[in-house]
Amino acid sequence: MRRHHFHQVVQSEPETESESDVETMRCISCKEEYAARDAGTCKECYEEASETEEELKREIEDLKAKVAFLRFWSPLDHAHRGSPTPSGPIFPDVVLVASDDGSPGLPPVPVPAHKAVLVNRSPVFKAMLENEMEESRSGTIKISDVSYDALRAFVNYLYTAEAWLDEQMACDLLVLAEKYQVKHLKVFCEKFLLSRLNWDNSLLTYAFAHQHGAKLVLDAALSLITDNMDKLTKKEEYMELVEKDPRLVVEIYEAYLSKQVNTAVLKDTSTKS
């Protein structure tokens, strides 16, 4: 006779998971292990990915602005002005001449361009060339207070939205961008100057930004200066600024006092709470 064995099944209380029992997974980015219940990616990689995403968004916005800036003028935009043919050029070529072309005894070297491009990129050129002004009739635009190299870089930017910059060239191009209302170029130069801003050049940069309405650079330079007021009067540029433009010195001290008041108010509010 076949014997049957019966086993009593006893359900025990589930044991608390020890660290060795916890199932782990490996992050595909950094290869570090993390608990399976925290599925996804490790905290460090997640934060890094978020920063990368924000950076990519900024780059995309910059590219969109660049594409919008480089959108070439279409003959159809001016069809109502009586252009000869929709596909033909409305404006003849034009040359730009730098008044500060450093070639003594020699005529300035002209920088060739197309009126259609200038009109599309700058509202100042647009007003100048679409009306019966001297530049429109002669086909020559004289640019004052600019070197040939800066003018050539300026015209090249109008075609390509690119420029090789050092601090001097960035300042020269920003002045031209402000004068001819090329906003994309002005922002481009401001970002470069921001990347080069430091304590040594802060006062000169502040004065320059103030003169040319470069708000991004102005605010950053002023913040840097007011954070180092104990060193301000020791700078050679400080005494020069006092003599040349004392109004700017007053504005710096006003900004410093305002910052001190705001800091005191915040401390007082924090103490009471």
Side-chain angles (χ1 to χ4, degrees):
M1 183 175 178
R2 191 174 181 179
R3 294 184 179 181
H4 296 276
H5 298 277
F6 296 92
H7 299 275
Q8 184 178 11
V9 179
V10 179
Q11 292 184 340
S12 59
E13 292 294 325
E15 296 180 357
T16 304
E17 287 184 324
S18 65
E19 291 186 4
S20 59
D21 295 329
V22 176
E23 184 183 356
T24 60
M25 300 182 72
R26 191 179 298 276
C27 176
I28 61 174
S29 297
C30 65
K31 308 304 180 185
E32 293 291 332
E33 292 185 348
Y34 62 92
R37 59 173 172 265
D38 299 327
T41 186
C42 65
K43 181 180 179 181
E44 290 78 7
C45 289
Y46 177 80
E47 292 176 349
E48 184 178 345
S50 298
E51 292 175 1
T52 302
E53 182 181 6
E54 290 302 316
E55 184 177 345
L56 287 173
K57 286 181 179 178
R58 288 193 295 270
E59 290 181 3
I60 289 171
E61 290 304 314
D62 287 343
L63 286 173
K64 285 181 178 179
K66 187 173 182 178
V67 169
F69 175 75
L70 289 175
R71 184 185 67 84
F72 195 80
W73 156 89
S74 167
L76 297 179
D77 292 343
H78 294 263
H80 66 281
R81 297 180 182 272
S83 60
T85 60
S87 59
I90 290 180
F91 298 113
D93 288 346
V94 64
V95 295
L96 295 88
V97 177
S99 62
D100 291 351
D101 189 355
S103 304
L106 297 175
V109 180
V111 179
H114 296 89
K115 288 185 178 181
V117 175
L118 302 186
V119 165
N120 180 258
R121 305 293 191 257
S122 161
V124 176
F125 284 137
K126 181 180 175 68
M128 183 187 297
L129 295 172
E130 287 191 341
N131 295 294
E132 289 299 317
M133 299 179 69
E134 180 184 351
E135 293 83 359
S136 179
R137 294 192 300 269
S138 67
T140 300
I141 301 175
K142 296 179 181 179
I143 310 292
S144 60
D145 302 322
V146 64
S147 67
Y148 168 76
D149 288 339
L151 179 58
R152 185 175 61 177
F154 175 64
V155 172
N156 182 70
Y157 190 90
L158 298 182
Y159 281 86
T160 66
E162 295 179 354
W164 181 88
L165 298 179
D166 56 21
E167 289 187 35
Q168 184 59 53
M169 183 60 75
C171 290
D172 291 344
L173 290 182
L174 190 147
V175 171
L176 286 169
E178 180 195 17
K179 182 176 181 179
Y180 293 98
Q181 298 179 26
V182 185
K183 294 180 181 179
H184 191 271
L185 174 57
K186 187 173 182 180
V187 172
F188 182 77
C189 294
E190 284 197 70
K191 288 181 178 179
F192 178 85
L193 292 174
L194 277 175
S195 71
R196 296 296 189 271
L197 180 64
N198 56 56
W199 172 244
D200 291 334
N201 64 21
S202 58
L203 266 179
L204 292 178
T205 301
Y206 175 74
F208 173 81
H210 196 285
Q211 181 180 358
H212 297 287
K215 183 169 173 52
L216 291 176
V217 180
L218 182 73
D219 291 344
L222 183 59
S223 177
L224 180 58
I225 292 168
T226 53
D227 285 342
N228 295 274
M229 289 295 285
D230 56 319
K231 299 185 289 185
L232 178 63
T233 56
K234 300 174 185 177
K235 292 177 68 68
E236 292 182 11
E237 296 88 347
Y238 173 77
M239 296 309 301
E240 294 177 3
L241 194 61
V242 169
E243 294 179 5
K244 292 181 179 179
D245 200 341
R247 177 174 53 92
L248 293 188
V249 178
V250 172
E251 290 183 7
I252 290 172
Y253 277 98
E254 287 177 344
Y256 174 70
L257 290 174
S258 177
K259 180 180 286 189
Q260 292 294 96
V261 170
N262 291 336
T263 301
V265 170
L266 288 174
K267 285 183 179 179
D268 184 57
T269 304
S270 176
T271 302
K272 289 180 179 179
S273 61

